[in-house]
């Protein structure tokens, strides 16, 4: 949101405040204040004007300005009703030099998972991509995938859903009783690295929020299915706040991941480009590899598709 407009909104939210006082405080003309108020109303903020001045009556349910308002993370939000892929859009923004922008869409028509797999993205989900430029060597990029998965898990758990992490990039909802775990969210990280430093990184998060599970693959689930529809503005703000807290304190990422891990302690099969490894997952190691105890000893896999072979209880 444009700087003065944001200041107008913050002042009204803390109000009531009159137009002339607002103009004086922000050192702009009264006409400028009025114009910003009109623009805010157009994007859905209900601003009343009583005797004591402007008051904020309500905030729009979703969308860029709604999420930027009260967001405790330094991201600009670019919202679209529909896009082919928020990751693709964020890559374009990277190419034009932008940073710290979050692209958010209500629906995607060409959402992608890893290895160019299709990602179902019906209207009502949270499809977002954060464009960041961390001062890290390219080899440390997996940390950000884990951080995004932790941030998503924390935000989801705050809605009352018993979610946990499957290495490397999935958020699962635990099955009730002997029920299977089902995928609620996935992360797709893309980047361009220079020799010793990441140039840009796009961290894509796909979270099945207010969508019917019938519109998703068979082994997927949604928040709607688990707890009913949730306010997506709160959800996105929470994800971004948690992501920000983790990226500014990188040492906290692996411990936070372990805390919510469903993979650790389980027998797993990991398929990598070089073949498959089967063993017991015992830890996650910097910058994000999975440590396995296999028949041939300990090994660490850094990328791959992981399958949980038995329920945790066994
Ligand atoms: C992922 O890939 O889990 C990463 C998904 C990232 C999606 C976000 S949405 C915002 C941003 N923009 C994009 O275009 N992408 C990112 P992977 O681990 O490869 O899992 C893909 C597999 O999950 C597919 O092959 C399906 O089997 C399954 N799948 C597809 N859509 C799903 C959904 N909505 N929920 C759960 N599983 C799904």
């Amino acid at each position: 949101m444009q700087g003065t407009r944001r200041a107008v909104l913050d002042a009204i939210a803390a109000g009531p405040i009159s137009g002339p006082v607002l103009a004086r405080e922000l050192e702009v003309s009264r006409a400028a204040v009025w114009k910003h108020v009109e623009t805010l109303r157009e994007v859905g903020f209900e601003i009343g004007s009583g005797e004591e001045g402007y008051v904020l009556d309500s905030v729009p349910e979703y969308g860029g300005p709604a999420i930027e308002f009260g967001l405790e993370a330094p991201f600009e939000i670019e919202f679209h009703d529909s896009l082919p892929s928020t990751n693709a859009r964020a890559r374009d923004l990277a190419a034009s030099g932008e940073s710290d922008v979050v692209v958010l869409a209500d629906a995607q028509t060409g959402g992608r998972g890893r290895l160019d797999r299709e990602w179902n993205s019906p209207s009502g989900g949270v499809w977002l991509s954060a464009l960041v430029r961390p001062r890290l060597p390219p080899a440390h990029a997996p940390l950000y995938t884990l951080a995004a998965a932790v941030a998503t898990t924390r935000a989801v758990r705050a809605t009352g859903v018993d979610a946990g992490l499957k290495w490397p990039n999935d958020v699962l909802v635990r099955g009730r009783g002997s029920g299977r775990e089902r995928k609620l969210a996935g992360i797709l990280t893309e980047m361009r690295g220079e020799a010793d430093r990441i140039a840009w990184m796009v961290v894509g998060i796909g979270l099945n929020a207010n969508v019917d599970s019938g519109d998703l693959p068979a082994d997927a689930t949604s928040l709607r299915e688990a707890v009913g529809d949730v306010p997506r503005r709160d959800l996105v703000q929470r994800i971004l706040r948690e992501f920000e807290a983790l990226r500014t304190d990188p040492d906290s990422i692996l411990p936070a991941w372990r805390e919510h891990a469903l993979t650790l302690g389980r027998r797993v099969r990991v398929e990598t480009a070089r073949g498959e490894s089967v063993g017991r997952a015992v830890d996650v190691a910097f910058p994000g590899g999975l440590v396995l105890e296999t028949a041939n000893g300990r090994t660490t896999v850094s990328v791959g598709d992981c399958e949980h072979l038995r329920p945790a209880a066994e």
Side-chain angles (χ1 to χ4, degrees):
M1 199 184 305
Q2 192 260 2
T4 312
R5 188 164 309 140
R6 184 184 291 233
V8 167
L9 179 57
D10 288 344
I12 294 174
I17 186 164
S18 74
V21 172
L22 198 45
R24 204 172 332 118
E25 280 187 5
L26 299 180
E27 296 178 359
V28 295
S29 70
R30 288 185 202 186
V33 167
W34 183 81
K35 252 182 123 175
H36 286 304
V37 168
E38 281 310 296
T39 308
L40 288 165
R41 283 175 171 151
E42 275 161 26
V43 298
F45 290 90
E46 286 183 23
I47 297 172
S49 37
E51 269 177 20
E52 291 176 78
Y54 293 120
V55 278
L56 181 61
D57 290 328
S58 76
V59 176
E61 231 171 72
Y62 203 45
I67 290 166
E68 281 184 9
F69 175 61
L71 177 64
E72 294 168 49
F75 293 110
E76 203 180 295
I77 311 288
E78 185 188 286
F79 180 82
H80 299 261
D81 288 328
S82 179
L83 266 186
S85 156
T86 56
N87 262 43
R89 170 67 187 154
R91 286 198 309 266
D92 288 346
L93 292 173
S96 54
E98 304 264 353
S99 187
D100 293 333
V101 180
V102 168
V103 181
L104 182 67
D106 176 54
Q108 294 183 121
T109 53
R112 284 285 168 267
R114 294 177 301 153
L115 305 173
D116 213 30
R117 295 171 185 137
E118 201 176 307
W119 182 259
N120 295 36
S121 319
S123 165
V126 168
W127 322 122
L128 75 77
S129 301
L131 165 61
V132 291
R133 296 181 187 270
R135 291 168 173 274
L136 291 177
H140 294 185
L143 264 187
Y144 269 56
T145 302
L146 300 187
V150 169
T152 306
T153 301
R154 285 178 170 169
V156 161
R157 292 184 68 84
T159 71
V161 175
D162 188 12
L165 293 159
K166 187 179 88 161
W167 185 86
N169 69 330
D170 288 356
V171 179
L172 305 180
V173 176
R174 269 185 241 244
R176 292 199 203 101
S178 59
R180 269 186 316 127
E181 294 164 330
R182 295 203 286 155
K183 182 157 166 172
L184 178 68
I187 315 294
L188 172 65
T189 304
E190 299 177 278
M191 67 161 181
R192 211 188 76 204
E194 265 133 37
D196 55 353
R197 170 124 174 230
I198 290 169
W200 55 257
M201 185 189 269
V202 169
V203 184
I205 300 176
L207 166 59
N208 304 320
N210 305 336
V211 302
D212 286 333
S213 47
D215 292 334
L216 302 172
D219 53 357
T221 189
S222 66
L223 292 180
R224 173 177 285 173
E225 186 177 7
V227 285
D229 285 5
V230 299
R232 281 184 295 168
R233 172 174 174 254
D234 294 351
L235 192 63
V236 171
Q237 287 188 334
R238 181 76 187 249
I239 293 173
L240 296 178
R241 169 154 62 89
E242 298 285 0
F243 182 65
E244 181 63 17
L246 291 159
R247 77 163 170 155
T248 50
D249 181 12
D251 289 346
S252 69
I253 297 173
L254 293 186
W257 195 90
R258 289 185 190 107
E259 187 188 328
H260 294 298
L262 298 173
T263 302
L264 299 183
R266 299 277 288 265
R267 262 177 65 74
V268 299
R269 177 186 301 123
V270 182
E271 279 183 40
T272 69
R274 281 188 287 149
E276 71 169 38
S277 296
V278 176
R280 203 167 74 89
V282 291
D283 200 8
V284 64
F286 184 87
L290 186 66
V291 184
L292 297 180
E293 252 166 28
T294 72
N296 306 321
R298 273 198 177 209
T299 176
T300 301
V301 282
S302 51
V303 283
D305 278 316
C306 170
E307 187 189 344
H308 289 167
L309 294 176
R310 294 192 304 201
E314 284 180 41

